[in-house]
Amino acid sequence: MTQQAAASSDHLIGDNPLALTNRPVRPDADASRLSRFDDDRWDLTPGIFEDHSTKTSLNFEVFPVRWRMEVKEYFWLLINDETIRPLPAAQLDKRLSLRTISFASTPLSRVLAWAEEHGITSLNELSPARLDLMLADIADLDLSKGAKGMMISETRRLWAYREVVPEILRMPEPQPWLGELTRDLFAEAPQRPGNRTPRIGDETLVPLISWAMRFIDDLSADITTSFHEYCLLLQQEDRFRPPGVGRSTPGGRRQERLKRVLDQFRRDGTKLPGRTLPDGSRGIRWQHLGRLTHTLGGLHARFDQDLIRQSGLEIDDDTYLSTPCKGTINGQLWRSKPIAFDHAANLAQHLVTACFILIAYLSGMRPGEVLSLKRDCVAHDKSTGRWTVTGLRWKGATDNDGAKAVEGEQRDLPWVVHPIVARAVDVLTRLHPGTLLFPVSIRPKPLRGPAAPTNLRPGTAMTTSQVGTDIVEFIDWANTYCTENGRPDHIPSDKQGRVSPRRFRRTLAWHIVRQPRGLVAAAIQYGHVSTHITQGYAGTYASGFLDDLALEQWLERIENVDELETYLDSGGHVSGPSATELESKTRHAQAKFSGRTMPTVRQAHKLLQDPTLQVFKSRGMHCVFNKATALCTKESENGPSLGECRSACSNIARTDQDIAELRVEINALPEDPLAPAIRNHRIALVKETMARAIKHHEEAR
């Protein structure tokens, strides 16, 4: 496609081309429904191959009428022109993805609305003075910094396309705002390092992981069996059978089949399927009785009530499946009755959610990577004992031209995961027959009745937002169960708000860096997870997880410097062989990094090796790491092995907080005169070492 053809207004309008003329389209997309240039809304979803993606579109009715046709030509160019035109002050050299293009609609509509309000009839009138006026007005808008920055970016992108856009959108030759960075244009103060994705607090995370594991290890068998029974019963309804296929009725007439079902109820000691009416009385669930007898429940209601009364069976308060529940929680059955028919699908969905929680948290995958997993994605290497998961990655996947690979790409190296992740995958493969582990719905789809909506997205996996809603419902179910059964292990609300899927990856990185010896429910150690994650999934930089760890480590080091600086400025005392070195490094680090903005990933990796940042907080001490004198390890190139600290190491320094921690540890050490002598001797030595450190700290004050 030539630039001249792309820029020809008459050509585009006359031919009414497809919105996705020069983009690959999903093979399952309906070609007759693809958006065309003349449409006021372009559906871009057929060009997005992620099965977990949501619908993505461009609505041109948000643009002022004066500019609308030319804006459509501009967006058609963004979608279909392969020429890369990077933004000023940006390092982007890849073709824009369709989702990125869709994000440009709102900020650009705001820019053109501003031009309309100021009587501008062509963007060629945007002189430097008017651009400065626009900048001042944008700064005064009641929008987030990100939304304001998007308005600046889309103005610059329009300038980058000035040679091919319609004349009314063609900006003057001078580069807008001389290419200055957006933060400089708005005179923003330097930001302290931080991660905008909040981690999940331990008060919420630990019981959440505990309940997810409980579903997989203790309750999954009951839920899976009941869900399969639920699906088989649904197939007895007309709407779940293909047209022309009748019921698969067993031998005997209707009343004979009903008698067999009633006799089975008596033998099993169960009651008739029922429901509780608004007045508190009970009525028979005729539809379910018809499912059991392979007939219409209404026929039993009309002709067989005498036969049912003669059976002497009572009506139950609900309609329960026949599968008895055998799973236990803390040694007690989790349900005294089978799962109700109406609850089977919801519990199965909660089981799917539990699997997502564990896979996302204990693997470090991005939500989209988890949602794209397929059956048979797990493998076990008996020689190494490692469990691995293979799948697609989307972020960072590029084609031969460096543009985004719209179909994703198979990871060269699999994710190395905790065995519980493998169990979660196995549960999903037994729960439903779908190819994707996380399909849009695991419920059987009706084959008759109203036609399916025509505006459904082509992707067949759950979306990230759908999983987020399911996590909220999973937490609600667990808390309701705890309340009804007098259990103490509720899942409290997280202080940072809703537990969204992308927070699991951030939380895992935080725990690996900050609490390597912490515990998750059922004694899963972060250290164990860290070893698997950093050696497997994050062992390749393409995964991005090493970048998350580097940024988290950088954040931890800077926070540690801040705390030590505040402590020293308040007259805090430091003892130990590296006390002087600790104070020196703290002062130098604060002077060097104070006010520094969040570094790039490359900077974070480099800055972590800065000598002034080699101070690590451990239990009852600070390690001022010097590889040459460290006793914990002689092989580490990146830092100390804090789990192997030795009291004689010359890298140790202690603050008042460290001494307070030592006092707590001394008081917590057991005194058991009946214990073996060697144990008592060892405890006495530990106490003596700690007491000596405390005494030295106080005397040196």
Side-chain angles (χ1 to χ4, degrees), residues 91 98 115 158 191 211 226 246 253 365 375 394 495 500 588 667 685:
Q91 301 298 321
L98 293 178
L158 197 56
Q191 296 180 345
W211 271 104
S226 297
R253 298 180 178 179
M365 298 182 199
R375 304 176 74 88
W394 304 95
K495 296 178 181 178
S500 62
H588 280 89
N667 294 332
L685 288 177

Side-chain angles (χ1 to χ4, degrees), residues 263-543:
D263 289 342
Q264 187 66 46
F265 284 163
R266 274 191 293 268
R267 286 193 295 271
D268 295 342
T270 57
K271 301 177 182 180
L272 290 167
R275 56 181 177 175
T276 302
L277 302 175
D279 61 0
S281 62
R282 297 181 181 181
I284 295 177
R285 185 81 172 269
W286 296 109
Q287 184 185 27
H288 191 73
L289 192 59
R291 296 187 189 105
L292 297 175
T293 60
H294 301 262
T295 189
L296 293 175
L299 296 177
H300 293 315
R302 291 183 60 189
F303 304 113
D304 302 329
Q305 292 205 34
D306 289 341
L307 180 60
I308 293 173
R309 279 194 295 269
Q310 292 170 8
S311 70
L313 292 170
E314 297 181 17
I315 303 175
D316 216 330
D317 62 338
D318 206 339
T319 300
Y320 296 98
L321 298 169
S322 63
T323 303
C325 290
K326 301 178 182 179
T328 60
I329 298 178
N330 300 132
Q332 295 183 346
L333 286 174
W334 74 291
R335 291 182 62 91
S336 58
K337 288 186 175 183
I339 294 173
F341 177 86
D342 292 333
H343 297 164
N346 288 336
L347 281 170
Q349 193 62 49
H350 291 328
L351 180 57
V352 171
T353 305
C355 293
F356 176 88
I357 289 171
L358 287 184
I359 295 174
Y361 178 65
L362 293 177
S363 70
M365 298 182 199
R366 295 182 176 90
E369 294 167 339
V370 178
L371 296 175
S372 300
L373 292 176
K374 298 181 179 180
R375 304 176 74 88
D376 303 324
C377 63
V378 170
H380 183 237
D381 188 332
K382 294 182 179 179
S383 62
T384 62
R386 286 184 177 179
W387 292 90
T388 56
V389 173
T390 57
L392 295 173
R393 71 184 185 101
W394 304 95
K395 188 169 184 178
T398 57
D399 57 22
N400 294 333
D401 297 327
K404 176 181 178 180
V406 294
E407 299 182 20
E409 65 181 14
Q410 194 80 11
R411 279 179 49 85
D412 295 331
L413 296 175
W415 292 280
V416 179
V417 297
H418 193 281
I420 295 177
V421 173
R423 296 208 297 272
V425 172
D426 179 62
V427 165
L428 291 170
T429 58
R430 288 186 283 109
L431 181 64
H432 67 83
T435 301
L436 290 166
L437 294 182
F438 297 95
V440 173
S441 176
I442 60 174
R443 293 175 171 86
K445 294 182 179 179
L447 301 177
R448 305 185 188 184
T454 57
N455 63 341
L456 297 178
R457 64 185 179 91
T460 56
M462 297 175 68
T463 64
T464 304
S465 60
Q466 182 180 351
V467 175
T469 300
D470 288 348
I471 292 173
V472 172
E473 294 177 354
F474 177 83
I475 293 173
D476 289 343
W477 183 94
N479 287 339
T480 300
Y481 183 89
C482 289
T483 300
E484 293 176 348
N485 293 274
R487 294 187 58 83
D489 47 349
H490 289 75
I491 305 174
S493 299
D494 186 72
K495 296 178 181 178
Q496 297 294 332
R498 178 170 169 164
V499 179
S500 62
R502 66 193 187 112
R503 293 179 66 188
F504 289 109
R505 177 180 167 99
R506 151 74 166 143
T507 305
L508 177 62
W510 188 92
H511 276 112
I512 289 176
V513 173
R514 309 299 185 92
Q515 293 185 349
R517 304 174 72 82
L519 295 177
V520 189
I524 302 175
Q525 293 189 356
Y526 288 123
H528 175 74
V529 175
S530 173
T531 299
H532 281 68
I533 295 297
T534 54
Q535 291 181 359
Y537 172 62
T540 166
Y541 277 92
S543 71

Side-chain angles (χ1 to χ4, degrees), residues 13-25:
I13 297 174
D15 290 351
N16 191 24
L18 291 171
L20 300 175
T21 296
N22 195 27
R23 291 275 182 164
V25 176

Side-chain angles (χ1 to χ4, degrees), residues 150-181:
M150 287 286 286
M151 293 179 67
I152 299 299
S153 296
E154 294 313 319
T155 302
R156 286 171 159 161
R157 194 187 314 279
L158 197 56
W159 176 84
Y161 276 76
R162 68 192 181 283
E163 296 179 356
V164 293
V165 296
E167 186 173 354
I168 192 175
L169 297 178
R170 196 165 299 160
M171 295 178 63
E173 181 70 23
Q175 188 176 141
W177 303 292
L178 301 178
E180 289 190 58
L181 297 177

Side-chain angles (χ1 to χ4, degrees), residues 73-189:
E73 295 182 36
Y74 170 59
F75 273 98
W76 193 89
L77 286 170
L78 290 180
I79 294 171
N80 297 292
D81 188 2
E82 297 179 358
T83 304
I84 298 173
R85 297 178 174 86
L87 270 68
Q91 301 298 321
L92 301 177
D93 57 354
K94 299 177 182 178
R95 191 181 186 188
L96 296 177
S97 70
L98 293 178
R99 194 174 300 280
T100 299
I101 293 172
S102 71
F103 293 154
S105 175
T106 297
L108 184 59
S109 67
R110 289 172 175 154
V111 169
L112 295 181
W114 180 90
E116 190 81 359
E117 292 173 2
H118 288 75
I120 295 175
T121 58
S122 170
L123 295 189
N124 189 50
E125 301 172 23
L126 286 178
S127 62
R130 280 186 163 172
L131 285 172
D132 288 342
L133 176 61
M134 177 198 294
L135 181 65
D137 289 345
I138 291 176
D140 291 337
L141 291 175
D142 186 18
L143 297 173
S144 66
K145 290 181 179 179
K148 295 176 183 178
M150 287 286 286
M151 293 179 67
I152 299 299
S153 296
E154 294 313 319
T155 302
R156 286 171 159 161
R157 194 187 314 279
L158 197 56
W159 176 84
Y161 276 76
R162 68 192 181 283
E163 296 179 356
V164 293
V165 296
E167 186 173 354
I168 192 175
L169 297 178
R170 196 165 299 160
M171 295 178 63
E173 181 70 23
Q175 188 176 141
W177 303 292
L178 301 178
E180 289 190 58
L181 297 177
T182 301
R183 66 169 178 264
D184 294 333
L185 290 176
F186 289 124
E188 297 175 358

